[in-house]
Amino acid sequence: MNDTLDRWIQRVTLVALLALTAALLIVGVALYASGAKASTAAGGTPQPHDILTETTR
């Protein structure tokens, strides 16, 4: 293959990996934030949460 095509493949791969990293970070932060918000009750005390039945104990 020629050098120009190799460089384009490297650039596209790098951009794709950076986009994947950003997407995973955004999803992780969103899930962490929603989990922290759901774990506190109205009184401010954390309640144990069953993820299978979606109930608090």
Side-chain angles (χ1 to χ4, degrees), residues 4-42:
T4 305
L5 185 58
D6 286 341
R7 286 184 186 266
W8 275 106
I9 291 171
Q10 289 175 357
R11 289 176 185 159
V12 169
T13 303
L14 178 62
V15 168
L17 287 173
L18 290 174
L20 179 62
T21 302
L24 288 173
L25 284 173
I26 291 169
V27 169
V29 167
L31 289 174
Y32 181 77
S34 68
K37 192 186 317 178
S39 67
T40 57

